[in-house]
Amino acid sequence: MEQKWQEDIDRLTRRREKIAAAGGLDRIAKQHGAGKLTARERMDALFDDGTFVEMDQMITSRASDFGMDKKKKPGDGVVTGYGLIHGRPAFAASQDFTISGGSLGEAQADKICRAMEKALDMKVPFIAINDSGGARIEEGIDSLAGYAKIFRLNTLCSGVIPQISVILGPCAGGACYSPAITDYIFMTESNAQMYITGPAVVKSVTGEVISSQDLGGASVHAARSGVAHFVYPDDLSCLNGVRRLMGYLPQNNEEKPMTVPGRERDRSVELSGIVPSDSGKPYDVRKVIDTFADEDSFFEVQPYFARNLVVGFARLSGECIGIIANQSSYMAGSLEIDASDKGARFIRFCDCFNIPLLTLVDVPAFLPGSQQEHGGIIRHGAKMLFAYCEATVPKVGLIMRKAYGGAYIAMNSKGTGADVVYAWPIAEIAVMGAAGAVSIIGRRQIEQAEDPSAKKEELLDEYNHKFMNPYIAAEHGYVDEVIMPEETRTRIAGAFKMLKTKQRDLPAKKHGNIPL
């Protein structure tokens, strides 16, 4: 081999070794000591074995101020590339905390944007793994401009390709807004943090001592703020969770989710034992889902936030569906501000990516009270209505027990565009519950009766017999069929099969103005 060839090969080998060393052995050890994988280890865990191909390995920051020349490393604190997930292509970016704390500068932003642009061109999912101290102060305005480019691409990709954000370390300041624009956010329990202003800033303003985890840890964002959708103990389980979610999603908005061999089962015969006929007694709606969904297929989204509404993905005969269900064991399944936001966002995601919707209804009302009214329940509840009315995917509903008032309308009623609505014999479809209705429409009769208590009971019996059943709704065409509980899976699966080729276009417009 010519000497020049050997010299150039040796030079490439040294560069590759430097790239593989990332921030150095000490920093890699520190990363492992914190219970975190390195950026490349995360890519290997995310993608199918041996399929990850790295891009732009040698890109380096051009900044030179504040001693940056001595801090420069190949890759500039992020690993980008592509590979296969369940045999299907996807692109990803994984921030490398061992290099300048994963801070984002101009070169890192350009690398991330190039990967996102490729994902958009190829119409395949994009996954962003966040582990960064935030904007690189040494690069000033260039780092802020880098975030702006990422946010714009997030927005352009929205509704076209699935975008997943994985928070495996700090994600602070402006960096939080890229995950917030994406479809789903995963966090780890011990290391993930998201906050706009850090603990030091909060302490200086309020005087209270607060930790980064208390301010923006996974438990906060999963249960209180609703920012996070999934939480896992560590990096590996979190990335496996991402892989599980990807199995339910199509590659883009022009495709449908893939069909997989489903472990079909039908335990609908158990439903009458799960759901009490007494509408005042609670039950766990997830047990209802488990009776008809393919075995172990239900994948709940945001399980700790707005627990009065359950949303998630499941399979019927191997086909993916999205489920929205009132949870009677929490706040009696009523709709309120957080549940409305949670439901509307999930409905719109499913509609973006051609995932049929199943709605399980057992709702007494929109939650009353001054706190809800002053917090904007009208505006937030309207999001649910807007989302269902706008969705053009197949929409099937099952009224299990209560379906009262405006909350009934908001839960995929025929008037808001449901294609097929079933009801069980115990369903109660009315403007409000019997006691409230009788107190209004029978007030004068009760007051004038010789025995007001007896008259009230008489009117309650009359109202219950006449209105608190599904038959008037069926007679008027608002319910397609009253079914027995044991017929649930058969009817639901049959409806989705019939609707599989549904096509419906919205009126031509730039976009609707959802009541944000």
Side-chain angles (χ1 to χ4, degrees), residues 149-369:
K149 292 176 185 177
I150 293 171
F151 301 162
R152 182 172 183 273
L153 271 170
N154 285 138
T155 305
L156 293 177
C157 291
S158 182
V160 180
I161 58 174
Q163 298 181 87
I164 313 299
S165 294
V166 191
I167 317 299
L168 302 181
C171 181
C176 294
Y177 284 113
S178 174
I181 299 172
T182 62
D183 298 306
Y184 291 107
I185 295 176
F186 287 73
M187 297 183 75
T188 51
E189 290 175 355
S190 56
N191 291 313
Q193 304 154 30
M194 292 181 75
Y195 43 78
I196 299 300
T197 54
V201 175
V202 173
K203 183 180 179 181
S204 68
V205 174
T206 66
E208 64 178 315
V209 177
I210 189 167
S211 71
S212 57
Q213 284 295 327
D214 290 338
L215 182 66
S219 60
V220 171
H221 288 310
R224 294 180 62 185
S225 72
V227 169
H229 301 86
F230 303 96
V231 175
Y232 289 88
D234 52 42
D235 285 18
L236 187 58
S237 60
C238 195
L239 293 166
N240 283 333
V242 175
R243 287 178 56 84
R244 184 182 179 192
L245 174 64
M246 295 297 290
Y248 291 91
L249 308 184
Q251 291 290 85
N252 55 63
N253 63 340
E254 296 178 354
E255 297 183 8
K256 292 186 177 181
M258 61 181 179
T259 302
V260 302
R263 290 180 289 180
E264 296 185 36
R265 63 177 179 183
D266 188 353
R267 293 170 38 225
S268 298
V269 69
E270 301 174 18
L271 283 168
S272 58
I274 295 173
V275 182
S277 59
D278 181 348
S279 62
K281 292 184 178 179
Y283 60 93
D284 187 346
V285 76
R286 289 170 294 195
K287 293 182 179 179
V288 173
I289 295 168
D290 285 342
T291 65
F292 61 77
D294 292 356
E295 189 173 2
D296 297 327
S297 72
F298 182 56
F299 188 29
E300 189 173 355
V301 176
Q302 287 186 296
Y304 309 111
F305 178 69
R307 289 179 289 159
N308 39 321
L309 193 74
V310 170
V311 304
F313 301 101
R315 294 191 179 276
L316 275 178
S317 302
E319 301 276 357
C320 178
I321 62 171
I323 297 178
I324 304 96
N326 302 115
Q327 176 60 291
S328 75
S329 64
Y330 192 81
M331 297 170 63
S334 57
L335 293 177
E336 40 71 74
I337 289 171
D338 289 341
S340 298
D341 287 356
K342 175 180 174 178
R345 181 75 187 272
F346 183 75
I347 293 162
R348 299 192 89 210
F349 174 84
C350 289
D351 190 49
C352 282
F353 293 104
N354 310 307
I355 299 172
L357 291 167
L358 171 64
T359 306
L360 303 178
V361 185
D362 188 357
V363 62
F366 279 101
L367 188 67

